[in-house]
Structure formats: C-alpha cells, structure tokens
Amino acid sequence: MDVMMRLILAQGMLGLNNGVFYAMLSLGLAVIFGMLNVVNFAHGALYMLGAFVALILSSYLGPWIGLDALHLGFWPALIIAPIVVGCFGMLIERTMLRWLYKFDPIYGLLLTFGIALVLQGLFSNYFNSAGTPYPAQPESLRGVVHLGFMVFPKYRLFAILFSIVVCFLTWFVIERTRLGATLRAGVENPELVQAFGINVPRMITLTFGFGTGLAGLAGVLAAPIYSVSPLMGANIIIVVFAVVVIGGMGSILGAITAGLALGLIEGMTKVFYAPAANTVIFFLMVIVLLIRPAGLFGRQN
Amino acid sequence: MATSEQTIGRSDTRGNGINLVLWAILLLFLLTAPAYIYTVFAMQLLCFALFACAFNLLLGFTGLLSFGHAAFFGAGAYLAGHAIKVWGLPPLAGILLGTAAAAVLGYVIGWLAIRRQGIYFAMITLALAQIIYFFGLQLPFTGGENGLQGIPRGHLFGFLDLNQPLVMYYFVAAVFLIGFLIIYRTIHSPFGQVLKSIRENEPRALSLGYNVTRFKLIAFIISAALSGLAGATKSVVFQFASLTDLHWQTSGEVILMTLLGGLGTIFGPVVGALTVVSLQHELSSLGSWVQVVIGAIFIVCVLVFRRGIIGELARLLKTSSM
C-alpha cells in the first residue's frame, strides 16, 4: 500500500473517531427534537458535563467526601455519568422547558442557550479552560492495535465500536420496538396516545432524559481521548448543528449516518487541505442547502 | 412571538405622548452622556445599542432569529479597521466600506439561510457565522488570535480630530442616531408593515401575494448592514477589531440585549444594551461568573419576562408604540 493511501486511511480512522461523537450528539438532538420540538442548545454543555462527571468521579470525589483512596474509574463512570446527566436533563425539562411548549420553539432554543452559558461559566470557574487530562483510562484498553495500514490506539477503537453499537440500539428501540412505536405515536398525536392511558408528559420527560443521557455518555467516552475542558461542549455543538442541518432532523438513521460521514470527510480534509478542516462541514452544509434545502434525509414540510 | 398579544398599528394620542417622552429622553441622553459617564463607555454603549436595534429589526419585527449576527458586527469591524489602517482610508470612508461589506455578507448569508425556517434558520446562521469566525482566525490580514490592533482614529472630514474624546463621542452619537432613524423609518414604512405581517402569519402574507422571501432577504440585509455599521464604528472607537467581535457569544449577547429590553419594541434594544453592557462592566472583575450571570438572565427572561423591560412598560401604560 502506498504512503498516500495509508495517510488517507489513518486520517479516516481519526475522522471516524470524531464522527462517532457527532453521530451520538446529533442522534440525541434528533430524539429530543422529534419528541419535544426543542433544539437543545445545552447539548454540548451536557456532553461536557458527562466528561466532567467522569473526571470528578476519578479524581475529586474521594477527597471531597473524605475517602482519599476512593477513585471511581472509567467503567463505573460509563454507567454513572449518563445517569447523572440524564437526571439533570429531566430536571431541566420538568422545571423549565415544560412551560415553554406552548410558545414559539425559538424560546426553547434560547432557554437552553442560557443553560449552556451557566454550565460553561460554572465549570470555567473551577477548572482549567485549557483542559485537564482524564487520568483513569482503563488498563485493559491501553496500548495499540495493528490494523494493517496503521497502528491505532485500542481505546479509540473501543470508543468507535461502542458508540456505533449504542447508536444502533437507539435506532432499533425507536424504529423497531413497541416502546418506540408508542413514542412515535406520541409525536404524531399526543391526545390520542394519552387517551390510551399512556402518560405523555412523563414520556416527554423520559425522552429528554434519554437524549441528554446520550450526550453524557458521549462525554465520558470522549474524556480519555480529548482533554476535559469547560469549552469542549461549545466547540462541538455548532459543528453538530451543521451536521443536523445536513442530515435533516426528522430521521434517526439520517442523524447517525450524517455524523459518521461528516467525521470521515473532516478527517480526509486534513490530508488534502488542512486549513479547511475546521470549516469543511460548514461548507458542506452550504452545498446541501443549495441542492436539497430540507437536508439529505429530511422531508420538506 | 410575545409581541403578538399586543395591539398592532393602532395609533393613540396617549401612545404618541409616551413616544415623544422616550424620544426626548434618548436625545437628551445622547447630548449629555459624556457629562456623567465615562466617554469610552458611553461610545461602547451606543455601538452595542445600534447593534441590538439592528438585530431587533430582524427578530422583533420580522420574526427571524439569527444566531450569527456577530459575523456582520465583526466583518464590519475588521474591514473598516483594515481599510483605515492598511489602505489609509479616512475614518468615515472606512466605516462606510465596513458597512457595505457587512451588507454584502448579509446578502450571501441571508440568501442561504432563508431557505429554511424557524429553528433551522437559527442553526444555519450560527454555522455560517462560524465560517466567518474561522476566516477571522486564519486569513492573513486579520492578525489571527491577536486581532487587528492599532487602528488610527484619524480626522473626520479632514479637520475634526477624532482623537479628541468629545469629538469622537459626538461622531458616534451621530452614527447611532442615523442608524436608529433608518430603523425607525423602516419599521413605520409600508415595507415594515409587511415585515410585521410576515412575523404574525407568514402563510397569510404569502397568500396575499407578498414575495415573502424577498422581504425577508431585504430585512436581513438592512439588519446586517447596520450591525456592520455598529461594528465598524466600534473598531474606530477602540482602535482594534478582535475575534470576540466574531464569536458566537457576541451573537448570543445581542439576542439577550434585545430580549431583555423588549422584542419588537423601538426603544427596548437600547435599554437592553445599556443594561447588559453596564452589567458586564460592573461584573468584569468576577471572571467567568459574568457568563453565569448572563446565562441566568437569559433563563429568567425566557421563562417569566418574555416581553422585556420596555415591553412590560408598554403593557402597564397600555400602548403599543414604544
């Protein structure tokens, strides 16, 4: 295999690595938007919160509660952080978002923007905005794997596979199970579903909790790869918005596919013209808007 | 929108009286501000007030939420700064060039973004503004992380020395007043009435035969141009243009100023800008807590104070012309 091909494949793998995070975040946004008709601007901040919960569990919680020897590592964090973030999301939905459903959806966007600022500001006060490395990468995932064309960190490969499985499960639950059918029916006709004895407001809360939990999960997965920083959410959320515009927010599969594909393309751009890597997704958004304004997988309403 | 509950276009004598009082307060403030507040701070206030008024034309009177208005503010600032510093243009010419550049950018971004509506419009403008942000970071003439520094203030019309704080102040006050009058005229013209009808009920405006897309685009361009005017003036006042001018947080701040002052009111954005800029000044020693406070005000405004300061005042006084 020639050098160029190796380089492309290597950057492609790294791009795919970013892509799984785009996919998980845009998936969460799509699930929330489908049910609540709210674009959650705080999604990036909740992703950051997930990473910080993992960091706190491993380094700060023990000293805080007087048990210096207590270090909860990666695997407990992978379960606890999404639950914490999901519960926090449900709290937001119950106490604030709920009152805005009868108004223009832009108020939901503005509210969650405010929440994102508060979270980002709070964490910036207590943590270094340049980022703190996550110390508790699991022993079993250290080292590298030989993929033939490159050596790839074992943990990153795990993150890619794990995220794809999570995305697939989410798709499966929503599109192929009875629970998912109820959810989709609740979107189409809330009154009718309510008449069948299903508690629609609770379903909405749980959906928001699930969507934000996905953001928290993405945060934990990202923690060992990128350094944990108060700004990590703000940097990714705008890209994810562009991904959502490209994929169209109506479709679960669209959100996943667009996230993965755009991560790949962003990685490739680093090979061919590195300065454009920051903006390539936004330019692709422009092209999609020109050709197919509703998004690649969206329906024009 | 919150304003849809108000009565629209009914001109009552009481409303006219209140309107006159507000105009008098505004003009008095413009004339006398340097006597009781720090001149540079007063100029900063006026630049952001103009920015917020320009933004309000779009969100408050057309119902379009742009989350990327920092792009126009910053583009105006950078281009005016570059034209004055490197090309040696006089300040007024530089500012006009910055304004024109923001208008052109407004045409391009507006033309792309109005293909989608509502919440998508907000996300698209945010993403497009991010391209401009990265241009500001990476283009050779912008100075990257440092921004564009040392922009000379120069002489207005060749003989008024803008390095004199008071001369500079009254120039900024004049720019603000011109911008404000343009917006006031736009809102009260037949064109402005069509914009309001689009805000209230777009399908209906469309069915009445108005070319909704064209109206939206023109409103977007006017708003972008005046935002650029505000940014260009700011870069002459402070003698620098920085990445902050282009940052999404600036786009967020201008939304907050408009929301806090009162969406779709004439004087609201001025009051909102005054409040937010003063608050940032007062809290500047607190570091990141400023962001927490700004975010908290956002939350409170959206949840319980959607009419904003002037909007609530107008409701108490039972008038729609504030």
Side-chain angles (χ1 to χ4, degrees), chain A residues 13-191:
Chain A
M13 281 304 282
L14 291 173
L16 190 62
N17 206 182
N18 289 335
V20 293
F21 294 116
Y22 297 156
M24 269 175 100
L25 290 175
S26 57
L27 173 64
L29 279 179
V31 169
I32 291 170
F33 183 77
M35 194 73 207
L36 289 83
N37 205 18
V38 163
V39 173
N40 181 21
F41 208 120
H43 218 66
L46 293 167
Y47 160 82
M48 169 203 75
L49 186 65
F52 269 103
V53 170
L55 180 69
I56 287 168
L57 285 176
S58 76
S59 315
Y60 296 92
L61 186 67
W64 284 352
I65 58 173
L67 295 166
D68 284 347
L70 183 76
H71 295 289
L72 287 170
F74 179 75
W75 299 112
L78 198 58
I79 297 173
I80 297 171
I83 294 173
V84 171
V85 176
C87 289
F88 185 69
M90 288 193 270
L91 193 73
I92 291 173
E93 199 278 333
R94 275 275 150 128
T95 55
M96 296 189 243
L97 263 180
R98 169 150 299 184
W99 309 107
L100 296 176
Y101 295 148
K102 56 179 181 289
F103 299 107
D104 194 300
I106 65 165
Y107 284 112
L109 183 77
L110 294 177
L111 175 82
T112 48
F113 178 71
I115 294 170
L117 284 183
V118 170
L119 281 175
Q120 188 180 323
L122 279 177
F123 278 94
S124 300
N125 274 316
Y126 298 107
F127 293 93
N128 187 353
S129 54
T132 318
Y134 178 71
Q137 188 176 345
E139 201 64 50
S140 53
L141 294 175
R142 290 206 179 144
V144 293
V145 228
H146 293 271
L147 293 176
F149 54 91
M150 72 181 297
V151 288
F152 199 66
K154 214 186 258 179
Y155 177 80
R156 283 175 179 251
L157 194 64
F158 161 78
I160 292 174
L161 296 175
F162 186 84
S163 313
I164 291 176
V165 169
V166 169
C167 287
F168 173 77
L169 282 178
T170 308
W171 170 82
F172 185 81
V173 168
I174 292 179
E175 299 288 340
R176 290 287 181 271
T177 65
R178 200 180 160 76
L179 176 69
T182 315
L183 272 177
R184 282 178 288 130
V187 176
E188 293 290 328
N189 196 336
E191 282 85 14

Side-chain angles (χ1 to χ4, degrees), chain A residues 39 96 100 103 105-107 113-114 118 120-122 124-125 234 238 241 249 275 278-279 282 285-286 289 293-294, chain B residues 1-2 111 115-116 119-120 123-124 126-128 130-131 134 138 248 288-289 291-292 295-296 298 302-303 306:
Chain A
V39 173
M96 296 189 243
L100 296 176
F103 299 107
I106 65 165
Y107 284 112
F113 178 71
V118 170
Q120 188 180 323
L122 279 177
S124 300
N125 274 316
I238 303 178
F241 277 175
M249 226 166 358
N278 284 330
T279 43
F282 302 122
M285 183 191 79
V286 170
L289 278 175
Chain B
M1 303 266 80
W111 181 72
R115 286 154 184 268
R116 299 300 298 272
I119 216 84
Y120 282 99
M123 291 195 285
I124 291 165
L126 178 64
L128 292 173
Q130 200 68 358
I131 297 183
F134 280 112
Q138 290 172 338
W248 56 266
S288 320
W289 284 108
Q291 209 179 28
V292 179
F298 240 110
V302 171
L303 283 178
R306 280 179 294 274

Side-chain angles (χ1 to χ4, degrees), chain B residues 117-173:
Chain B
Q117 289 166 341
I119 216 84
Y120 282 99
F121 182 86
M123 291 195 285
I124 291 165
T125 43
L126 178 64
L128 292 173
Q130 200 68 358
I131 297 183
I132 308 299
Y133 176 82
F134 280 112
F135 279 171
L137 188 64
Q138 290 172 338
L139 284 183
F141 79 91
T142 57
E145 302 268 0
N146 298 326
L148 209 61
Q149 294 178 357
I151 300 164
R153 281 185 177 175
H155 289 71
L156 185 66
F157 308 128
F159 66 96
L160 288 167
D161 185 3
L162 290 180
N163 290 305
Q164 301 284 331
L166 273 183
V167 178
M168 186 72 222
Y169 172 79
Y170 283 108
F171 172 62
V172 174

Side-chain angles (χ1 to χ4, degrees), chain B:
Chain B
M1 303 266 80
T3 47
S4 59
E5 295 146 28
Q6 298 171 5
T7 48
I8 291 153
R10 192 163 52 88
S11 62
D12 47 326
T13 39
R14 179 129 163 259
N16 288 340
I18 295 164
N19 213 352
L20 273 178
V21 171
L22 286 169
W23 269 105
I25 295 174
L26 180 72
L27 290 176
L28 198 68
F29 175 79
L30 281 180
L31 284 173
T32 59
Y36 41 85
I37 49 180
Y38 184 47
T39 324
V40 175
F41 179 63
M43 292 191 277
Q44 186 188 4
L45 268 178
L46 291 181
C47 290
F48 278 98
L50 177 58
F51 185 24
C53 289
F55 178 79
N56 186 39
L57 178 65
L58 205 56
L59 178 58
F61 289 96
T62 321
L64 292 174
L65 172 62
S66 157
F67 229 110
H69 252 51
F72 311 121
F73 187 75
Y78 270 98
L79 269 130
H82 186 74
I84 295 168
K85 186 184 167 186
V86 181
W87 299 339
L89 255 57
L92 193 61
I95 288 174
L96 289 176
L97 191 81
T99 311
V104 173
L105 191 64
Y107 178 77
V108 176
I109 291 187
W111 181 72
L112 283 166
I114 51 180
R115 286 154 184 268
R116 299 300 298 272
Q117 289 166 341
I119 216 84
Y120 282 99
F121 182 86
M123 291 195 285
I124 291 165
T125 43
L126 178 64
L128 292 173
Q130 200 68 358
I131 297 183
I132 308 299
Y133 176 82
F134 280 112
F135 279 171
L137 188 64
Q138 290 172 338
L139 284 183
F141 79 91
T142 57
E145 302 268 0
N146 298 326
L148 209 61
Q149 294 178 357
I151 300 164
R153 281 185 177 175
H155 289 71
L156 185 66
F157 308 128
F159 66 96
L160 288 167
D161 185 3
L162 290 180
N163 290 305
Q164 301 284 331
L166 273 183
V167 178
M168 186 72 222
Y169 172 79
Y170 283 108
F171 172 62
V172 174
V175 169
F176 169 80
L177 197 62
I178 291 167
F180 192 77
L181 283 172
I182 292 174
I183 294 166
Y184 189 83
R185 261 329 300 160
T186 309
I187 292 167
H188 291 90
S189 68
F191 173 77
Q193 296 298 327
V194 178
L195 292 186
K196 281 182 215 163
S197 79
I198 294 173
R199 175 190 73 189
E200 296 303 323
N201 193 338
E202 188 176 330
R204 189 149 183 201
L206 195 64
S207 74
L208 287 172
Y210 289 108
N211 186 344
V212 169
T213 311
R214 202 168 129 258
F215 276 96
K216 279 184 183 173
L217 184 58
I218 295 172
F220 198 92
I221 294 170
I222 298 174
S223 174
L226 291 173
S227 302
L229 176 63
T233 312
K234 193 233 75 172
S235 76
V236 175
V237 170
F238 286 95
Q239 302 184 273
F240 66 80
S242 71
L243 283 175
T244 314
D245 300 338
L246 289 168
H247 200 266
W248 56 266
Q249 260 171 340
T250 305
S251 301
E253 272 160 24
V254 79
I255 298 176
L256 182 62
M257 289 171 191
T258 312
L259 193 63
L260 182 64
L263 274 185
T265 62
I266 294 156
F267 295 93
V270 182
V271 177
L274 199 112
T275 318
V276 173
V277 175
S278 312
L279 204 72
Q280 282 171 333
H281 243 258
E282 292 298 318
L283 300 177
S284 57
S285 58
L286 292 174
S288 320
W289 284 108
V290 180
Q291 209 179 28
V292 179
V293 173
I294 296 268
I297 300 175
F298 240 110
I299 295 173
V300 172
C301 271
V302 171
L303 283 178
V304 295
F305 201 60
R306 280 179 294 274
R307 285 195 188 87
I309 298 169
I310 293 290
E312 285 292 344
L313 206 63
R315 194 173 64 100
L316 287 175
L317 297 171
K318 298 190 174 64
T319 174
S320 62
S321 52
M322 287 173 85

